[in-house]
Amino acid sequence: MAADSEVDLRFVPDYDIRNILTYCSDEQKGLVEELRKLVEDSCGPLSAIETRWLSHACLCRYLRARSWSLSKAQSMLEESIGWRRDYKPWALTTDDVDVELNNPGKLYLGGVDKYDRPILVMKPGKDNTGVEVKDKKVAYLVYLLERAIRVAERNHREKLVLLIDFKDNSQMAGMSQISVAKEVLSILQNHYPERLGACFMVNPPWTFRIFWGIVSPFLDEVTRNKIKILKKTADMLELIPEDQLEEEYGGQNAFQYVYEDYKKAMDKNFPPETEEEAVAFLKDSKPHKKRKGHHGGKKHRHQKKPSQGMKEDCSDNDVAEVSPRSDPDPEMSDADVPSPRDADHIDADTTSAQTQKKKKKRNKKHTRLTSQDNN
């Protein structure tokens, strides 16, 4: 997609964040760089983690969320930096949210939609804690949001899909959670702008109209238009492939949430981000000069070009075994992203002999995490 000031990425599902500036006009590109300078000046020295987070895609999200108003985007971004410094969402661990993680499957990362955006599944009917642990409820959602974002960025996306199933949800329990919902919505809109790609709500109880009447005014129009209340769960197949949608909704994904297995997988695949890791990432991300060799600095004729599209053969549940906010590797397909239930089998032996051979032959910088046989 060529640069065009009329391109509104709020309504585009499959843009590639590696090329985020190509969707901006010259004026918008100037605003992106100006916003970065303003925030760097106003917020003082930024840590490596903050610098890593403050990417072009991040700056564009805040500008889009404020209709490209530089002053409004600056104010919003400064508040988010302050919130992140206090909350430290990148440092949350499973132990921090264990009281919420230990549940029968009320909130977890599911598969991906046809645009390779991760799905966050919410089943309030399986909620096993009350408002007395509201802070833990909010922290658990933030923990999962941070992990879902890693999966999205691994697929060169930045948006998420929500699937909210109200089956077996207690009517009175739903009403009592309004305070939690309002705080969650505040965090989503203020500190995770432009992250929602789509939201499906199924099996809503009759009290949902009351709840929706209270909550919806806190949502902007763009967000409200992305929320679909479905009578038929199979309608989700228009956006979610069969192998990614759970069986109870008409798909073929047989995933079952098991606390011990899921916690183990999350610990292994999503360790907390560290400042040292961010420093190394920034160092590796600096532009490198082309080395002169027998190819004269030109690309080898057999070298693959970075993939501009996503493949359909994703694993059942995308929980990527990548370091926090890792640099996208164009040589790694979506089939290399393991699911939680496959976590026990992710080790050095899962890398195929063929991949190892290619690594030695081509001197690749990165290797695959799993082979196609793990799908």
Side-chain angles (χ1 to χ4, degrees):
M1 191 181 300
D4 187 341
S5 60
E6 296 182 357
V7 174
D8 191 341
L9 294 184
R10 294 178 299 175
F11 305 102
V12 179
D14 59 347
Y15 59 90
D16 190 324
I17 60 173
R18 293 173 296 179
N19 307 321
I20 195 70
L21 292 182
T22 66
Y23 305 114
C24 299
S25 66
D26 290 340
E27 180 182 1
Q28 290 170 339
K29 291 176 184 177
L31 289 173
V32 170
E33 294 307 321
E34 190 172 354
L35 178 58
R36 182 194 297 278
K37 293 178 182 177
L38 288 171
V39 170
E40 288 177 346
D41 291 341
S42 64
C43 293
L46 300 178
S47 67
I49 288 178
E50 290 170 338
T51 301
R52 187 180 187 178
W53 173 75
L54 201 65
S55 63
H56 281 141
C58 175
L59 294 165
C60 285
R61 281 195 302 275
Y62 279 80
L63 283 163
R64 289 200 307 270
R66 290 299 179 260
S67 302
W68 292 91
S69 167
L70 182 61
S71 60
K72 292 181 180 179
Q74 179 186 357
S75 177
M76 184 184 191
L77 191 49
E78 288 171 349
E79 290 182 4
S80 288
I81 290 176
W83 175 79
R84 292 181 70 86
R85 285 176 175 176
D86 291 337
Y87 208 94
K88 295 179 175 54
W90 65 84
L92 287 171
T93 67
T94 54
D95 288 337
D96 293 329
V97 296
D98 188 68
V99 66
E100 287 295 301
L101 190 67
N102 189 358
N103 68 80
K106 66 180 176 183
L107 182 58
Y108 55 88
L109 285 176
V112 294
D113 75 349
K114 68 179 183 180
Y115 301 114
D116 294 294
R117 301 176 299 186
I119 302 169
L120 192 58
V121 181
M122 302 181 179
K123 299 180 179 181
K126 296 186 177 183
D127 193 359
N128 58 346
T129 57
V131 293
E132 68 276 1
V133 291
K134 183 181 74 170
D135 290 346
K136 292 294 184 181
K137 287 179 175 293
V138 174
Y140 182 45
L141 179 62
V142 170
Y143 169 85
L144 284 179
L145 280 173
E146 291 285 318
R147 274 64 187 173
I149 288 169
R150 294 184 196 177
V151 176
E153 293 179 349
R154 176 64 197 82
N155 290 340
H156 315 307
R157 301 291 186 254
E158 63 181 354
K159 294 186 178 179
L160 321 174
V161 175
L162 298 183
L163 194 171
I164 307 176
D165 184 359
F166 292 96
K167 182 180 179 181
D168 299 326
N169 187 47
S170 168
Q171 295 172 356
M172 296 310 297
M175 296 298 292
S176 68
Q177 299 291 351
I178 289 178
S179 62
V180 178
K182 289 175 67 175
E183 183 171 348
V184 166
L185 287 173
S186 175
I187 289 176
L188 288 173
Q189 288 201 123
N190 295 328
H191 307 309
Y192 294 90
E194 293 298 307
R195 286 295 189 183
L196 181 64
C199 175
F200 296 113
M201 295 185 177
V202 299
N203 301 315
W206 67 268
T207 54
F208 181 75
R209 290 184 180 274
I210 301 175
F211 176 81
W212 186 243
I214 296 173
V215 171
S216 58
F218 294 93
L219 303 174
D220 59 57
E221 184 177 1
V222 174
T223 301
R224 285 199 299 270
N225 290 337
K226 293 178 181 179
I227 298 174
K228 308 296 182 185
I229 302 175
L230 304 179
K231 293 183 178 179
K232 297 180 179 179
T233 58
D235 290 344
M236 288 185 285
L237 288 170
E238 294 181 7
L239 185 64
I240 303 175
E242 276 189 323
D243 64 335
Q244 302 295 302
L245 187 63
E246 294 181 21
E247 291 177 339
E248 64 178 302
Y249 305 122
Q252 299 176 354
N253 186 346
F255 172 75
Q256 296 292 324
Y257 184 92
V258 178
Y259 159 64
E260 293 82 3
D261 296 341
Y262 198 74
K263 181 176 181 178
K264 182 179 180 181
M266 298 300 280
D267 282 336
K268 182 175 183 178
N269 299 329
F270 297 106
E273 185 175 12
T274 66
E275 185 73 2
E276 292 75 17
E277 184 182 47
V279 169
F281 174 87
L282 294 173
K283 183 178 179 180
D284 291 342
S285 298
K286 290 181 179 179
H288 297 285
K289 293 182 179 180
K290 292 183 179 180
R291 293 183 299 172
K292 293 182 180 180
H294 64 283
H295 296 304
K298 296 182 179 180
K299 185 183 294 185
H300 193 281
R301 65 187 179 91
H302 295 304
Q303 184 174 340
K304 294 182 181 179
K305 296 180 180 180
S307 173
Q308 299 302 314
M310 296 292 108
K311 301 188 182 204
E312 299 280 335
D313 55 343
C314 302
S315 60
D316 290 338
N317 290 280
D318 274 14
V319 176
E321 188 183 13
V322 293
S323 56
R325 302 184 63 81
S326 65
D327 189 20
D329 177 7
E331 291 296 320
M332 187 183 298
S333 72
D334 295 321
D336 294 320
V337 182
S339 68
R341 57 190 171 191
D342 293 333
D344 291 339
H345 306 292
I346 303 169
D347 52 33
D349 293 333
T350 60
T351 305
S352 66
Q354 182 179 7
T355 303
Q356 293 290 340
K357 185 176 181 180
K358 288 182 179 179
K359 175 184 175 184
K360 296 178 180 179
K361 182 178 179 180
R362 300 182 182 181
N363 191 26
K364 292 295 184 181
K365 181 179 179 181
H366 302 288
T367 58
R368 296 180 184 275
L369 299 181
T370 62
S371 68
Q372 297 288 343
D373 295 336
N374 285 337
N375 290 329

